Amino acid sequence: MTTVKSSNLGYPRLGEHREWKKLLESYWKGDVTEKEFHATSKEIRLTNLKKQIDAGIDIVPVADNSNYDHVLDTSVAFNIVPTRFGFYTKKLTLDQYYDIARGNKDNVAADMTKWFNINYHYTVPEFDNTQPRLLENRWLKYWQEAKNELGINGKPVIVGPVTLIKLGKLHGDYVSTEKDIDILLDSILPLYQQVFKELQDAGVDWVQLDEPSLVKVAHEEEVKPYRRAIEALRAAAPKLNIELQTYFDAIDPYQSVVNLPVQAVGLDFVNGNGENLRHIREFGFPKEKILAAGVIDGHNVWTADLSKKLQLVTELQGISSELWIQPSNTLLHVPITTKYETAAGPELLGGLAFADEKLPEIVTLTQTLNGDDTRVSFTENAAALKALNESKARNNVTVQTAIKNLDQSHVERHSTYAERSKLQQAQLHLPKLPTTTIGSFPQSTEVRAKRAAWRKGHLTDDQYDAFIKLETTRWIKLQEDLGLDVLVHGEFERTDMVEYFGQKLDGFYATQNGWVQSYGSRGVRPPVIFGDVDYIEPITVAASTYAQSQTEKPVKGMLTAPLTIINWSFVRNDIKRADVQNQIALALRQEVINLEKAGINIIQVDEPALREGLPLKKRNWQNYLDEAVYSFKITTTGVRDETQIHTHMCYSDFEDIISTISDLDADVISIETSRSHGEIISAFEAVDYDKQIGLGVYDIHSPRIPTVEEIADNIRRGLKVIDDKQFWVNPDCGLKTRNEEQTLSALANLEKARNTVLTELEVEA
């Protein structure tokens, strides 16, 4: 009879009340010593482990914690440190570690980009001129801590060597060639072997080797480096059991992967359109191996349909010697617990499952297969799902009819860009190389305190509104003093660019404590889209028109586009994502029209998550991109030709979707370029891009103030491939995470740099 066990792949880091985030920020401010930092970090780690043990998880992951990012942890442990930060022969200090993540006064931070196609940022390894060596076996350290403190033989989680290499850069490009992968494996495989041998010698039973890059492998030939790496690890630690873990999609060269020399293979049965299950039905699964079945959605918040999941795991039960029931991926990407969601109605609350609610689902399925009586759990589960699906929120006939009636008239501007741009310039009178920002300004301690006081009822609506207006007026004046050409209202009323709209549209639930790590200490609360999305009343019009009343310069209206809202939300899974996306687009279309009616002549509809949400398999790209363009145009095409539509995208490689960017038909697009060291510019060398563009000329994620010359160099670099009549000058992203001094100093240098380059252009002319 097949043995069945419960397993987890990773647990959220933030803490139930964001204790981890607050700890990091306290350390950065100097309010906490390094010793105090490590002591509190340990408390948080042990609390997270104990929760999983108490829930009944048989195989508990360890070393999935981090001081910032797990990829950075792996790089630093192996001394894969950008050479501008120096060379090391012993473990880095905490300050040296954070210098890489955040930059310092002398050096820009390591590049940062999205983790596969989800809203988590990882720190990109840089392999140029590095001297890999094992500076710390962090995986052994945290396994020993769990063993000594809690008495468990945990499962260390480590990013696999091939995935680590492919996530990194060599000579400015992501590592992709067979030759480069082999060369880098030569240098880091011995370090992995050392780690694995030390784990084996200490008595570790299992290690979770995360190789999610396998889901992007299309051909059997591409499996070779993974086989080479695993064979080397097996040779170094033959008694150590390896769980080869994949997630976020299905495996294409299925037979090659499941026959790699490991003891367990982790497959995702939530994502991938059922391909992993079809592969098993067609090709079977090695009887001698353990199937680690990812059946509980680790990237969404909905209660699993236990009856359907039971059918799946029952089918899987007999195909291998042992079956592990687990989430589809680490639970890092969902909030921790629903117990603080007191504002959620009973129908919604019964349908929600955060990390702490997913663990019992795993255990329940495991117990059922092992013969335990779990009928009460299944009855309660069925009733909860029925109540949610039959709720009024999921059956809005007006919204559903509007989606059915969408046609071409909803997705075309009145005139071509060439015709619109002349009308827009005649109305706006913008100078050459106009300057602007992306939208948000610092969310200061005072701003956050006033918001908290208002939420607690300590400030009236009128008092809070008066404060927001004062802050808006102050920042309009600061922007005018700096000399910026197109201003923004600062978004002081918003906590997050997606969460805010989730609070204003029907069909969304804004969580009270649904925090998820985005990068470092940055936590976001993705809204939950649980019903049909409908427009209730104007959202941003009052703030935008007030800001415009304070200045003669144009002020941008600021919205978040449908696809980004989808990608940065927890989306209902009972209807097609494209239908949800278009519901949001129709609601935002009304907001865009209302902004225009109120006299706002520039409207920015941000789509920063466009590329990050691309399916991992290229064959699925075009449908995704077509749906993205369609929903964006639903949002933006209801305005006059004179109204200038902007959009913004960040932290992505755009070379292969330039045509899609053009198809959006936005009049102006701003794109990150500073942190990727200007690489995006090359994407525009091969195309004749006819619209206007702002290449972000400095990195807002670092506290470091860029010099005038650095910014000027970035502008000059962009002007090599983009005409100065098309070029805007702006930071690479919103500024709410920076303080006021950093913001004003950097923007002052941006203005000086723009003026320097303008003078150079005049001389050349």
Side-chain angles (χ1 to χ4, degrees):
M1 184 175 179
T2 302
T3 302
V4 183
K5 293 182 180 179
S6 58
S7 169
N8 191 22
L9 303 181
Y11 190 82
R13 300 168 185 152
L14 286 177
E16 281 194 19
H17 302 286
R18 292 184 293 159
E19 296 91 341
W20 184 76
K21 166 192 170 65
K22 294 168 187 175
L23 177 64
L24 263 64
E25 293 176 351
S26 295
Y27 177 76
W28 294 338
K29 292 175 184 176
D31 296 338
V32 168
T33 67
E34 185 166 346
K35 182 178 180 180
E36 292 170 329
F37 175 91
H38 288 304
T40 305
S41 294
K42 180 178 178 179
E43 292 176 10
I44 296 171
R45 286 194 300 274
L46 295 178
T47 296
N48 293 344
L49 290 174
K50 194 168 186 305
K51 275 189 173 185
Q52 297 171 73
I53 297 165
D54 292 345
I57 298 296
D58 297 316
I59 303 161
V60 177
V62 298
D64 56 314
N65 53 281
S66 175
N67 287 332
Y68 194 89
D69 161 53
H70 56 279
V71 180
L72 178 61
D73 295 331
T74 310
S75 301
V76 167
F78 292 141
N79 198 34
I80 302 168
V81 175
T83 54
R84 62 186 174 277
F85 292 100
F87 295 89
Y88 300 91
T89 57
K90 59 182 181 180
K91 177 185 171 184
L92 276 67
T93 67
L94 205 53
D95 287 341
Q96 289 168 335
Y97 172 91
Y98 286 129
D99 282 346
I100 300 167
R102 306 176 72 229
N104 57 29
K105 63 182 180 64
D106 299 314
N107 297 293
V108 296
D111 194 4
M112 185 171 63
T113 195
K114 295 299 176 73
W115 175 250
F116 293 85
N117 61 347
I118 66 172
N119 187 29
Y120 173 84
H121 304 66
Y122 76 91
T123 309
V124 178
E126 298 176 25
F127 291 105
D128 295 290
N129 304 313
T130 55
Q131 300 174 359
R133 60 169 61 89
L134 183 61
L135 300 182
E136 180 191 28
N137 190 340
R138 68 183 305 276
W139 302 276
L140 177 59
K141 170 186 172 182
Y142 293 119
W143 177 84
Q144 289 173 329
E145 178 182 85
K147 182 78 168 175
N148 295 335
E149 298 287 342
L150 298 173
I152 64 169
N153 191 339
K155 176 184 61 171
V157 179
I158 184 169
V159 177
V162 183
T163 291
L164 181 68
I165 289 170
K166 289 185 174 183
L167 291 173
K169 289 185 175 180
L170 184 66
H171 312 314
D173 295 320
Y174 285 100
V175 181
S176 60
T177 69
E178 182 179 349
K179 179 181 177 182
D180 286 339
I181 292 170
D182 280 341
I183 290 171
L184 291 171
L185 277 176
D186 288 341
S187 64
I188 69 171
L189 254 185
L191 311 181
Y192 273 88
Q193 287 179 300
Q194 184 179 347
V195 167
F196 274 50
K197 186 176 187 308
E198 291 178 3
L199 291 174
Q200 172 187 269
D201 293 347
V204 176
D205 287 338
W206 281 95
V207 64
Q208 178 180 312
L209 186 69
D210 279 3
E211 289 283 13
S213 60
L214 271 166
V215 302
K216 300 180 75 173
V217 167
H219 307 290
E220 289 189 9
E221 188 71 12
E222 298 173 72
V223 180
K224 285 171 58 177
Y226 300 92
R227 177 174 291 278
R228 176 191 168 190
I230 290 168
E231 287 176 347
L233 298 176
R234 298 291 305 130
K239 296 179 182 178
L240 180 62
N241 295 306
I242 297 175
E243 176 191 4
L244 175 63
Q245 187 60 53
T246 68
Y247 40 82
F248 297 146
D249 212 320
I251 299 297
D252 276 350
Y254 168 79
Q255 289 173 290
S256 294
V257 172
V258 298
N259 284 297
L260 288 169
V262 295
Q263 287 68 44
V265 179
L267 298 177
D268 185 339
F269 290 94
V270 173
N271 302 291
N273 300 314
E275 289 180 20
N276 276 335
L277 182 59
R278 286 198 293 273
H279 288 148
I280 283 178
R281 287 170 174 169
E282 182 176 357
F283 303 112
F285 186 85
K287 275 287 186 182
E288 73 280 4
K289 295 188 193 301
I290 295 170
L291 174 60
V295 299
I296 298 298
D297 194 342
H299 191 223
N300 212 335
V301 295
W302 302 109
T303 296
D305 186 329
L306 291 182
S307 293
K308 289 184 178 179
K309 297 298 181 183
L310 182 59
Q311 292 176 16
L312 171 60
V313 296
T314 299
E315 180 177 353
L316 297 175
Q317 184 178 13
I319 68 167
S320 64
S321 60
E322 189 168 311
L323 177 68
W324 292 357
I325 309 292
Q326 58 187 29
S328 57
N329 53 264
T330 171
L331 298 180
L332 172 67
H333 308 304
V334 293
I336 293 175
T337 176
T338 64
K339 69 182 179 183
Y340 302 109
E341 302 306 320
T342 57
E347 292 170 342
L348 173 58
L349 191 60
L352 289 178
F354 295 173
D356 286 354
E357 289 73 42
K358 291 180 184 296
L359 297 176
E361 291 180 341
I362 293 167
V363 172
T364 296
L365 290 170
T366 304
Q367 291 173 336
T368 305
L369 291 185
N370 284 326
D372 294 344
D373 186 353
T374 56
R375 285 175 294 180
V376 171
S377 296
F378 277 80
T379 300
E380 292 174 349
N381 175 259
L385 293 176
K386 184 174 186 290
L388 177 60
N389 289 326
E390 293 181 354
S391 66
K392 181 180 178 182
R394 287 195 168 182
N395 294 277
N396 186 322
V397 176
T398 301
V399 171
Q400 293 171 3
T401 301
I403 292 297
K404 291 177 183 177
N405 291 336
L406 282 171
D407 58 32
Q408 197 63 23
S409 67
H410 291 90
V411 292
E412 295 295 340
R413 294 289 295 267
H414 302 297
S415 304
T416 66
Y417 167 74
E419 296 169 310
R420 300 194 308 262
S421 62
K422 294 173 184 176
L423 296 172
Q424 291 163 13
Q425 181 58 20
Q427 178 169 266
L428 297 170
H429 305 293
L430 295 174
K432 188 177 288 188
L433 304 186
T435 53
T436 188
T437 64
I438 300 305
S440 59
F441 280 129
Q443 295 267 321
S444 65
T445 301
E446 184 181 15
V447 168
R448 295 196 301 270
K450 293 288 187 182
R451 184 185 300 122
W454 170 64
R455 284 178 169 171
K456 293 175 182 177
H458 301 159
L459 284 180
T460 66
D461 290 350
D462 288 344
Q463 289 171 324
Y464 181 61
D465 185 56
F467 167 75
I468 294 295
K469 285 182 176 178
L470 283 173
E471 195 71 357
T472 301
T473 299
R474 186 170 73 87
W475 276 92
I476 289 289
K477 180 67 166 57
L478 288 171
Q479 291 173 82
E480 288 182 327
D481 292 344
L482 286 166
L484 296 176
D485 299 309
V486 175
L487 314 186
V488 297
H489 78 278
E491 303 179 19
F492 303 109
E493 78 286 1
R494 307 182 193 183
T495 55
D496 176 84
M497 64 183 294
V498 171
E499 178 190 32
Y500 180 75
F501 289 92
Q503 294 168 336
K504 304 293 184 179
L505 293 169
D506 206 14
F508 282 75
Y509 169 67
T511 70
Q512 294 160 274
N513 202 50
W515 295 98
V516 178
Q517 185 187 12
S518 178
Y519 65 88
S521 69
R522 167 78 167 142
V524 294
R525 279 189 303 181
V528 176
I529 308 175
F530 71 98
D532 293 323
V533 179
D534 203 2
Y535 188 73
I536 305 169
E537 60 185 2
I539 301 169
T540 65
V541 174
S544 297
T545 53
Y546 176 78
Q548 185 64 78
S549 74
Q550 303 299 299
T551 181
E552 294 298 316
K553 290 188 173 184
V555 174
K556 291 190 285 190
M558 303 298 303
L559 305 177
T560 305
L563 184 65
T564 292
I565 291 179
I566 282 276
N567 283 341
W568 292 357
S569 298
F570 294 117
V571 185
R572 58 188 290 192
N573 58 3
D574 62 312
I575 63 174
K576 294 178 181 178
R577 282 176 67 93
D579 287 342
V580 181
Q581 199 167 297
N582 292 339
Q583 287 180 2
I584 297 169
L586 280 173
L588 294 177
R589 182 183 179 93
Q590 295 181 62
E591 179 71 4
V592 169
I593 291 169
N594 285 336
L595 281 168
E596 182 186 65
K597 287 178 179 178
I600 303 301
N601 297 316
I602 302 179
I603 302 171
Q604 182 168 308
V605 183
D606 285 343
E607 198 67 288
L610 173 66
R611 197 191 189 288
E612 78 177 49
L614 275 171
L616 297 179
K617 299 186 188 303
K618 206 160 188 174
R619 62 175 177 263
N620 299 323
W621 279 20
Q622 196 56 55
N623 184 61
Y624 167 90
L625 292 171
D626 290 345
E627 290 173 351
V629 169
Y630 191 76
S631 64
F632 185 89
K633 292 174 99 174
I634 291 172
T635 303
T636 57
T637 56
V639 295
R640 300 176 299 119
D641 289 341
E642 290 83 356
T643 297
Q644 191 175 76
I645 297 294
H646 288 225
T647 190
H648 167 69
M649 299 176 187
C650 60
Y651 294 122
S652 294
D653 305 308
F654 292 98
E655 290 88 343
D656 42 13
I657 61 166
I658 290 294
S659 61
T660 296
I661 292 173
S662 183
D663 289 345
L664 293 174
D665 204 24
D667 301 301
V668 183
I669 179 173
S670 59
I671 298 180
E672 179 276 333
T673 185
S674 62
R675 195 157 187 173
S676 58
H677 313 301
E679 294 159 11
I680 184 63
I681 294 171
S682 63
F684 291 90
E685 292 176 327
V687 298
D688 183 19
Y689 192 78
D690 62 342
K691 303 175 183 70
Q692 298 174 61
I693 184 166
L695 296 176
V697 293
Y698 77 86
D699 175 20
I700 66 88
H701 292 86
S702 172
R704 178 178 172 274
I705 306 301
T707 67
V708 173
E709 190 58 24
E710 286 172 7
I711 297 175
D713 280 344
N714 281 337
I715 298 172
R716 295 181 190 112
R717 191 184 308 162
L719 288 173
K720 290 180 181 179
V721 296
I722 298 169
D723 190 275
D724 57 29
K725 296 181 179 63
Q726 296 173 263
F727 199 98
W728 287 62
V729 177
N730 48 258
D732 67 359
C733 206
L735 293 160
K736 77 176 185 178
T737 60
R738 301 273 57 87
N739 64 37
E740 185 166 324
E741 180 182 357
Q742 292 164 348
T743 297
L744 295 177
S745 297
L747 289 177
N749 286 353
L750 179 146
E751 273 293 324
K752 292 174 184 175
R754 186 272 299 262
N755 293 332
T756 296
V757 176
L758 273 179
T759 301
E760 294 169 358
L761 291 174
E762 290 169 1
V763 170
E764 290 174 6

